Amino acid sequence: MCGIVGYVGEKNAVPLLLNGLKRLEYRGYDSAGVAILNEGNLWVEKRKGKIRDLECEINGLHPESTIGISHTRWATHGVPSEVNAHPHVSMEGNLALVHNGIIENHASLKSELIANGFSFVSQTDTEVLVHLIAMLYAGDMVKAIRESLRLVEGTLGIAVLSAHEPDRLFVARRGSPLVIGVGDGETLIGSDGAALVEHTRRVIYLEDDEMAVVDRGGARVRTLQDKTVNRKIEKIEFDLGQIQKGGYAHFMLKEIFEQPQTIVDSMRGRLLVEEGNAKLGGLENCLDRIRNSYRLILTACGTSWHAGLIGEYLIEKLAGIPVEVEYASEFRYRDPILSRVDTVLAITQSGETADTLAALREARQKGALALGLCNVVGSTIARESDAGVYLHAGPEIGVASTKAFTSQVTVLTLIALALGRKGILSSEDGKHIAQEILKLPDKIKQILELEETIRRIAEHMAGQKNVLYLGRGFNYPVALEGALKMKEISYIHAEGYPAAEMKHGPIALIDDNMPVVVIAVKDPVYEKVISNIEEVKARGGYIIAVANPDDRTIRSLCDEVIEVPETRQCLSPILTVIPLQLLAYHTAVFKGCDVDQPRNLAKSVTVE
Ligand code: G6P
């Protein structure tokens, strides 16, 4: 949420800063700005809208500079506008600051600053920080920033550019990620590695309550209590190709089509087919503790929460361990009853979601085993968990999550398999599941070949205002996920429901031609789902079924059928979700929506 880029080196900073922002645009995209130092003076340009709007505004007409900072915003305090865009500048015009996070005590700080003669131009919480640093500056930038940060409450990742010390950038972190890229004669900063990878893969991840002075020779990291820190240089594992569209119209489409490969990457070296088991290096040492936990709590937000719901079904069925699934945002504030006998697994693509991170910290603090299931290597949750597993799905750029979801479910299946084989799951059953997992990539490819059929259905969908998604058992969370995808990117009101619950409310919505998407694969609840389809049909609903091939009953009852290959019930979500991702994608394209950067959303939600 909000993207920060900084550069100090020998090259022309502005194009580099704008390019870096484009790589981070999925973090926020309502306004953007850049600040550089030219002959000792700050030059700042800001614009409401996307980075390309800022780029058009600048139109190559900018002073030369080899140092600067830039920002792409997702508004929290104050509407998206030029004046609220970052960087924010001190009254004397010699300090510029970009910020990711929220200053919670901004109102009281603002009153104090106004009493001291400072005046404000924006409605943001961030502006207090630049004035605070200016007020406390007495010849030492590091000291002024450190003292200011002692006074602010909330979360922050900041970068400061100062005419007082024109060859350095100052960065600090408390809760919002910051990465320093160490190049050859140049140093970069970014909210994540995507902004840096074109220039260097050698990075330092700043930890909470640390700050760094960055110059072209590298970075010196210290704690906010002024203690020296020796951070080792780590390596970014992805390359530039993975964060480019590679010929696809949108990142989301590329990521949907990557899924046959990404689920292979998620299980590579982990699935032991002959033994009907899975080996997850990161969890090796704590598998027994998880198995013997009083209960296992899966906590997450958004799409990752839906993966958690499937994880609950998987782990309870294959391993017989009691599982609960909690929205991370609710979990942290209800003072959950936790102790050493519990395990909490945080599921997150970014590894930075503020609520999920807080839930993990709550679990650790109460003595539970705190595990992470993350995609982004080196992310905060990956580093703060007691143990964990990476998804290895590669960078996900589309704001609506697709490939991370199927990888999450794949890895949760492996966890369920490994836990199950320590208990109730026979080797024969384990082997069958493992063999079926191996077939999933080809089955996903078959579903992707149905894109044209799905596109045709999407054309009809694009004219609708409401849509209901129904599923049962393992496919109930898929109904939720299908509905979430649809509303996120097409802005059509979509609700996911367990099919049987429909008659307790949502059935009132159904009238002639109301589209209802039903997941009706041949599993133990199939007959029940057929009854639910009959109930929809009796009220004139327009039924789109996701079903197995050659199902005559479904064909006779439904208006449209999307066929997905058969598999074991517990693996079916990895297949049934694919057509729903494509349906949402093509509906949004028909409606002319910005698929990769949907209205009001951001990919990495680092504020509460
Ligand atoms: C945001 C994104 C969703 C994502 C959710 C959780 O809302 O737009 O796509 O599912 O955050 O993110 P995480 O990185 O923790 O999985």
Side-chain angles (χ1 to χ4, degrees), residues 583-603:
L583 185 63
Y585 171 79
H586 282 294
T587 305
V589 171
F590 273 117
K591 289 192 70 185
C593 301
D594 190 342
V595 172
D596 282 335
Q597 291 169 3
R599 186 170 73 195
N600 302 338
L601 300 181
K603 184 143 193 77

Side-chain angles (χ1 to χ4, degrees), residues 301-304 348-350 353 399 401 488 602-603 605:
C301 302
T303 288
S304 300
T348 164
Q349 189 285 129
S350 62
T353 302
V399 166
S401 182
E488 275 180 317
K603 184 143 193 77
V605 183

Side-chain angles (χ1 to χ4, degrees), residues 140-337:
D140 183 343
M141 275 302 296
V142 169
K143 201 159 169 253
I145 294 173
R146 208 170 42 223
E147 285 175 4
S148 303
L149 295 187
R150 268 190 212 130
L151 302 175
V152 300
E153 288 160 19
T155 53
L156 54 93
I158 57 164
V160 186
L161 179 63
S162 163
H164 300 304
E165 300 190 34
D167 301 319
R168 295 164 164 181
L169 296 175
F170 304 88
V171 294
R173 158 181 179 150
R174 186 188 294 148
S176 297
L178 267 181
V179 189
I180 301 166
V182 184
D184 197 7
E186 59 185 10
T187 311
L188 296 103
I189 54 172
S191 296
D192 65 55
L196 318 174
V197 71
E198 263 173 278
H199 306 279
T200 180
R201 298 174 80 158
R202 301 171 69 231
V203 293
I204 298 167
Y205 293 99
L206 217 58
E207 299 277 353
D208 274 350
D209 289 314
E210 288 179 358
M211 66 177 294
V213 179
V214 176
D215 59 27
R216 66 191 55 182
R220 270 161 297 126
V221 183
R222 295 182 80 79
T223 66
L224 287 176
Q225 290 71 41
D226 203 22
K227 296 211 174 72
T228 313
V229 178
N230 279 324
R231 286 253 159 270
K232 66 174 192 303
I233 294 184
E234 299 181 44
K235 195 162 172 261
I236 295 179
E237 289 190 354
F238 57 89
D239 56 38
L240 189 58
Q242 285 175 277
I243 54 168
Q244 290 173 329
K245 279 188 211 155
Y248 284 91
H250 297 97
F251 280 110
M252 182 179 176
L253 190 63
K254 177 188 177 220
E255 287 155 8
I256 290 173
F257 273 82
E258 278 175 351
Q259 290 174 107
Q261 183 57 43
T262 47
I263 68 159
V264 170
D265 295 341
S266 297
M267 60 180 153
R268 180 171 294 117
R270 293 169 167 176
L271 185 66
L272 309 174
V273 183
E274 287 313 311
E275 293 158 44
N277 205 337
K279 185 178 161 74
L280 295 143
L283 295 184
E284 259 319 62
N285 294 334
C286 49
L287 217 52
D288 284 322
R289 185 163 167 201
I290 305 171
R291 162 97 241 129
N292 296 323
S293 294
Y294 178 63
R295 64 198 171 137
L296 171 57
I297 297 162
L298 307 181
T299 188
C301 302
T303 288
S304 300
W305 183 76
H306 295 156
L309 289 179
I310 298 169
E312 176 182 25
Y313 282 80
L314 279 162
I315 295 168
E316 292 206 338
K317 188 167 177 83
L318 303 187
I321 300 170
V323 179
E324 283 169 31
V325 187
E326 293 265 5
Y327 281 117
S329 53
E330 290 299 314
F331 182 66
R332 59 183 292 199
Y333 282 117
R334 68 175 177 78
D335 195 16
I337 300 163

